[in-house]
Amino acid sequence: MKNPFPFYHPLILASIATTLLSSVAADQTKVTSFEGESSQAAVKALDATTEIIGDEGVTDGSKALRITFTPDAKTSGIDLIAEEPWDCRRLGNYHLRYDAKNPGEHSIHLHAVVNGPKGGNFIRSVSIPAKSSGSYYFELKGEGLKTDFGLRDDPPSLDLDATRMITRIFKQQADFPMVKKIRFYVSKNIHAKTLILDNIHFASSPEPKPGYLTGFVDKFGQNAKADFDWKITSEEELKAAADKELRELAVSDLMPDRSRWGGWKDGPKLKATGYFRTEKYKGKWAIVDPDGYLFFSSGIANVRMANSTTFTGVDYRDDSVREIDPEDVTPEDSQGMVAVPRSIQEDDYEIHPVRRAMFEWLPDYDDPLAKHYSYRRETHHGPVPHGQTFSFYQANLERRYGETFRGSYLTKWRDVTIDRMHDWGFTSFGNWAAEEFYHAKRLPYFANGWIIGDFKTLSSGADYWRPMPDPFDPEFARRAKLTTEIVAEEVMGSPWCVGVFLDNEMSWGNEDSLRSQHGIVLDALSKGTGESPAAAAFIKALKEKYPDITQLNQKWGTSVESWDQLAAGMKIEDEQLSEGMLEDLSELKILYAHQYFRVVSSALKDVLPNHLYLGPRLTTWGMSWEVRKAAKEYVDLMGFNYYREGLGSADWHFLEEMDLPCLIGEFHMGSTDSGLPSVGLIHSADQKDRAKMWTEYMTTIIESPYFVGAHWFQYFDSPITGRAHDGENYNVGFVTVTDTPYEEMIKAAKELHGKLYPMKYGEVEE
């Protein structure tokens, strides 16, 4: 038979083993064990090297596949492609299973993608520990697999002698009676890593564990059905742990080389302005603290109660709790705790019985801990559109510290949190610190605001959080002014405020496709000037460049009859994107970004002229060169959110050209040994590995001449049943839901921070 995959590695084609429509057992369908049987599938290497081996890692037969991943590659791994789809219909509820060995010194965050013959996919992730061998699986058909219960991932429903892979972002709604392709890959590793795969097959799943979603949350908000080292079992134990930590913090202070602002007291002293500023020092960008010392911002973001609540499955019949003031400047996910009148609470009802049944305990309305109920009027993602929430984290603070006067446990929490930051060596908070920290005058912070409101919007085509604003709409400028004035009222000109983030992770489009890169401009042009102020600005700019419409048609390869026709709205398809048109689309994208940053920065500098503007925290998935080019003229310090193992180099080719001080606004790693079903965007093997990965990430930031800080997201773990905003139930905290510090993380933070400034700016010259 003619080889249907002539472009694949011949050694792999000669060695790959698959049996497509037959099975080794009635409850299995084999994909491959790499034994050299006649090939009806192929291995395609994806920016990786592969080799059939016959020694280590073999679990079925005498051979296995070794994959050597390429560091810093966006996708490095393999595709397993069936000539005819693997037929899994007879398996009933089933899962993919494989054996893997990691012989290296670093854990491997492995992704798996399974594709059906008619499209659709399932994506899962897992951390494979260093120096380990084991079996791994994820379900493709089964109970609750596609049902969103308000958690990014649920507790395991199957009893299997293998490690479960975790849902990547959201549950997919695909259906796979047959499978066409399986991909195993890693993304943007900072180390060279090797993985050995064997015995890849589909298998029938056992019956799910009865009640796996029922009562899995104890009264402290922990996993009631799992044991782990830092699990709290009583209020006495919680209080004793708090008392012990308080005694230790009482004799702790700032690290000895720090200024009162957290800068490098033992280093050089530059010009002092009384506020934080930036300066390039000996070829490296730096923040300079108000007293003139070099400052690097190592911080923790989201130190606030706003994201500590989870939906209880209950709602209220009184619609008044859902009213939203159109002049409000704070989006729902940043709202703090909301007290609901008892008269409204008593008229409650179950809106989601499955969620309600997840909790072993929730307080009666007469219970003192009932004050930790709150309310969400809307949500970004999940099965509950609005409803009652509860904060186990805040309730545990009251249990830890008691209440000697109304809310005293929150005052204690504020002081303990700052004491911890000093003890652990952090130099500042990250974004989204609670306002009660602003005037403690003990730790620098970053203020934040959102520009929301009823202004015109545009779409880049991939609006993850929300559509993009139309900054040419006068209402956008009014809302920017309103927001920055409120931020200024909160900051009150304090020198402890390093600067301000405004907006977050906006969908500017990216360079993965022309449609994505230019989506905002294309959307505006499709709306026309009657609907889009941006379209009016764009057409005005085009008229200035092309006095006659025929000139535009010649450049674009179009046949627009008049400017009026273009102004009425013109939908441009992908096949119409000519080189001449793309040049103009980029210019219009720059015009759009200029207008956004001009409006926002002007509004901020009018009210806080002495504070740094850090932009909207760009992302690699939501920016393009046009945005960076425009932003450079307005931001003082460029913020990026970057969830990877470390900086690498592939995503940061623009740093030298941009030549601005930069800061990482968010990153994290998580592990399942925390008791939480999901772990976050970057996976680690356990808490020790998580601490190691934090150190490695921070080291890549410190070594860069452009980065002046990095902020971990976030202070405490997500609620185990998902934060109310979007269901994130991640192990991403430096502390648990009981406010118990993760010892390995604290140890790593102290060690790195103890040598932070000499690492960043060199040893002190004698």
Side-chain angles (χ1 to χ4, degrees):
M1 183 179 74
K2 183 179 179 181
N3 176 12
F5 304 104
F7 47 90
Y8 295 147
H9 196 293
L11 176 62
I12 301 300
L13 282 172
S15 305
I16 185 103
T18 69
T19 305
L20 298 177
L21 300 178
S22 62
S23 62
V24 296
D27 61 351
Q28 291 188 16
T29 294
K30 177 170 266 189
V31 174
T32 180
S33 286
F34 308 101
E35 293 303 308
E37 301 140 50
S38 61
S39 178
Q40 298 185 60
V43 172
K44 179 182 179 181
L46 306 167
D47 206 349
T49 58
T50 57
E51 181 183 4
I52 298 295
I53 60 173
D55 46 10
E56 61 174 344
V58 175
T59 59
D60 184 46
S62 59
K63 297 178 182 177
L65 179 70
R66 180 165 60 207
I67 308 168
T68 302
F69 301 111
T70 301
D72 215 19
K74 182 177 181 180
T75 301
S76 178
I78 63 166
D79 279 344
L80 291 170
I81 306 174
E83 182 178 356
E84 296 293 336
W86 291 286
D87 191 341
C88 300
R89 289 173 290 187
R90 62 185 178 76
L91 298 178
N93 290 340
Y94 76 102
H95 58 276
L96 172 71
R97 181 165 176 150
Y98 60 95
D99 299 330
K101 179 175 182 177
N102 175 5
E105 301 292 333
H106 304 280
S107 63
I108 297 174
H109 182 185
L110 184 71
H111 307 274
V113 184
V114 174
N115 294 94
K118 296 182 180 180
N121 60 57
F122 275 108
I123 307 175
R124 298 289 189 273
S125 297
V126 73
S127 179
I128 300 179
K131 302 291 185 182
S132 74
S133 298
S135 296
Y136 299 85
Y137 78 95
F138 72 81
E139 294 176 85
L140 291 163
K141 183 179 180 182
E143 179 182 315
L145 186 62
K146 296 185 289 184
T147 305
D148 185 357
F149 297 112
L151 297 74
R152 284 297 175 92
D153 208 351
D154 308 328
S157 63
L158 304 181
D159 242 337
L160 292 172
D161 58 342
T163 300
R164 182 181 66 120
M165 300 189 79
I166 296 169
T167 297
R168 176 72 177 164
I169 309 296
F170 297 118
K171 292 182 177 180
Q172 291 82 24
Q173 298 301 309
D175 190 18
F176 287 106
M178 306 178 81
V179 174
K180 177 63 176 177
K181 183 176 76 172
I182 305 168
R183 171 172 291 182
F184 293 101
Y185 73 100
V186 301
S187 183
K188 301 293 175 70
N189 282 345
I190 60 172
H191 300 290
K193 298 180 181 181
T194 296
L195 184 70
I196 299 167
L197 290 178
D198 199 12
N199 192 22
I200 304 170
H201 61 280
F202 302 105
S204 295
S205 299
E207 289 295 315
K209 295 181 287 188
Y212 70 95
L213 281 171
T214 301
F216 84 93
V217 185
D218 69 15
K219 70 176 184 178
F220 298 105
Q222 304 170 120
N223 193 328
K225 299 184 178 183
D227 291 323
F228 36 92
D229 290 343
W230 40 89
K231 188 173 185 177
I232 295 296
T233 60
S234 69
E235 293 190 25
E236 292 74 20
E237 182 183 5
L238 185 62
K239 187 70 167 63
D243 290 342
K244 178 177 182 294
E245 184 187 18
L246 290 175
R247 290 192 296 271
E248 294 169 350
L249 290 175
V251 295
S252 180
D253 202 352
L254 286 168
M255 290 190 167
D257 67 343
R258 304 291 169 85
S259 74
R260 60 176 174 150
W261 310 97
W264 192 20
K265 184 180 64 176
D266 293 345
K269 190 170 184 181
L270 309 181
K271 180 182 177 182
T273 63
Y275 291 92
F276 286 93
R277 62 181 184 86
T278 61
E279 180 178 329
K280 184 174 277 191
Y281 173 77
K282 292 188 175 180
K284 297 179 180 180
W285 278 106
I287 302 174
V288 180
D289 79 14
D291 287 342
Y293 296 109
L294 296 175
F295 178 89
F296 181 91
S297 177
S298 179
I300 298 180
N302 216 32
V303 189
R304 60 179 184 175
M305 297 302 154
N307 297 117
S308 70
T309 66
T310 188
F311 281 119
T312 65
V314 167
D315 204 351
Y316 308 124
R317 290 183 174 85
D318 190 329
D319 286 338
S320 66
V321 298
R322 289 178 279 280
E323 293 177 359
I324 297 177
D325 183 351
E327 289 296 284
D328 200 344
V329 300
T330 306
E332 196 69 10
D333 67 309
S334 289
Q335 296 280 350
M337 300 293 290
V338 178
V340 177
R342 180 66 177 271
S343 59
I344 293 178
Q345 285 182 324
E346 289 179 342
D347 194 18
D348 63 10
Y349 67 101
E350 283 192 2
I351 190 175
H352 199 294
V354 174
R355 283 198 63 83
R356 184 65 174 174
M358 293 177 184
F359 305 99
E360 284 189 335
W361 170 91
L362 284 168
D364 295 332
Y365 295 140
D366 289 326
D367 191 303
L369 294 179
K371 66 172 70 75
H372 307 295
Y373 281 118
S374 186
Y375 194 81
R376 278 294 172 89
R377 299 169 295 182
E378 60 184 17
T379 187
H380 177 254
H381 180 88
V384 180
H386 42 70
Q388 180 192 82
T389 64
F390 187 75
S391 174
F392 283 98
Y393 181 73
Q394 186 170 286
N396 287 331
L397 294 179
E398 183 173 353
R399 288 164 167 153
R400 284 178 71 93
Y401 304 121
E403 187 173 38
T404 55
F405 56 86
R406 186 174 178 82
S408 65
Y409 52 88
L410 290 176
T411 302
K412 189 66 177 178
W413 170 76
R414 181 199 67 188
D415 295 339
V416 168
T417 298
I418 297 176
D419 288 344
R420 284 172 171 173
M421 297 301 106
H422 288 165
D423 183 60
W424 301 347
F426 288 101
T427 61
S428 72
F429 287 114
N431 195 26
W432 295 320
E435 191 182 341
E436 52 258 46
F437 293 108
Y438 283 17
H439 302 293
K441 298 183 179 180
R442 295 183 59 206
L443 190 71
Y445 66 91
F446 294 78
N448 70 89
W450 297 86
I451 305 172
I452 59 175
D454 191 23
F455 41 75
K456 299 286 188 180
T457 61
L458 296 167
S459 173
S460 67
D463 306 320
Y464 180 74
W465 292 114
R466 54 180 57 85
M468 294 291 289
D470 187 331
F472 295 95
D473 185 347
E475 178 63 10
F476 177 78
R478 187 184 78 84
R479 295 294 300 187
K481 184 174 185 295
L482 179 62
T483 293
T484 53
E485 286 175 346
I486 290 176
V487 172
E489 289 175 6
E490 295 169 346
V491 172
M492 296 174 60
S494 171
W496 289 90
C497 176
V498 180
V500 183
F501 293 104
L502 289 164
D503 291 328
N504 181 58
E505 293 189 341
M506 302 171 74
S507 301
W508 297 91
N510 60 58
E511 297 171 44
D512 287 348
S513 73
L514 295 176
R515 172 65 59 177
S516 173
Q517 182 174 347
H518 302 293
I520 293 170
V521 177
L522 295 173
D523 186 42
L525 293 176
S526 73
K527 294 178 184 296
T529 58
E531 186 180 347
S532 170
F538 294 162
I539 292 175
K540 178 183 178 183
L542 291 172
K543 282 183 175 181
E544 291 173 354
K545 184 174 183 179
Y546 303 108
D548 193 298
I549 193 68
T550 58
Q551 295 173 293
L552 179 134
N553 284 324
Q554 290 173 355
K555 183 70 174 292
W556 285 21
T558 53
S559 55
V560 181
E561 294 182 2
S562 67
W563 288 112
D564 287 342
Q565 181 185 352
L566 186 60
M570 176 182 174
K571 186 174 181 180
I572 300 171
E573 304 295 343
D574 288 357
E575 57 270 18
Q576 296 175 276
L577 295 173
S578 65
E579 286 298 318
M581 183 187 294
L582 291 174
E583 179 183 325
D584 286 342
L585 293 180
S586 283
E587 290 182 5
L588 296 177
K589 177 84 169 284
I590 293 171
L591 177 65
Y592 169 88
H594 265 289
Q595 180 70 3
Y596 170 86
F597 286 108
R598 181 187 301 113
V599 169
V600 175
S601 65
S602 295
L604 180 64
K605 293 300 183 180
D606 282 347
V607 292
L608 288 172
N610 298 312
H611 293 79
L612 303 174
Y613 171 41
L614 294 92
R617 303 203 305 173
L618 301 177
T619 66
T620 53
W621 55 262
M623 68 171 174
S624 60
W625 68 267
E626 297 97 339
V627 178
R628 297 192 298 268
K629 179 179 176 66
K632 181 178 178 179
E633 297 188 27
Y634 301 97
V635 301
D636 301 303
L637 198 166
M638 185 72 81
F640 299 92
N641 292 354
Y642 191 67
Y643 286 94
R644 300 291 185 185
E645 293 184 2
L647 274 191
S649 58
D651 285 332
W652 304 100
H653 56 87
F654 56 83
L655 289 177
E656 183 175 358
E657 178 183 356
M658 190 173 65
D659 195 23
L660 276 178
C662 299
L663 181 145
I664 295 296
E666 290 183 17
F667 76 102
H668 68 215
M669 298 89 186
S671 170
T672 56
D673 66 351
S674 62
L676 280 82
S678 192
V679 303
L681 300 180
I682 303 298
H683 296 201
S684 57
D686 52 28
Q687 296 304 314
K688 184 176 181 179
D689 188 45
R690 190 159 78 112
K692 174 185 176 184
M693 292 176 71
W694 176 86
T695 300
E696 291 176 340
Y697 190 107
M698 288 297 296
T699 299
T700 68
I701 300 295
I702 292 167
E703 290 175 347
S704 168
Y706 300 101
F707 280 88
V708 296
H711 300 159
W712 172 273
F713 185 90
Q714 58 182 17
Y715 184 41
F716 47 81
D717 284 337
S718 308
I720 191 171
T721 45
R723 68 179 186 181
H725 182 57
D726 59 3
E728 287 187 5
N729 57 336
Y730 296 161
N731 165 227
V732 294
F734 259 70
V735 302
T736 72
V737 69
T738 63
D739 201 41
T740 303
Y742 284 104
E743 293 181 4
E744 294 287 354
M745 296 294 289
I746 307 314
K747 179 181 177 182
K750 288 182 176 182
E751 183 176 346
L752 181 71
H753 288 145
K755 53 188 177 183
L756 169 63
Y757 283 114
M759 284 179 65
K760 180 65 180 175
Y761 297 111
E763 297 293 340
V764 180
E765 296 180 3
E766 297 295 337

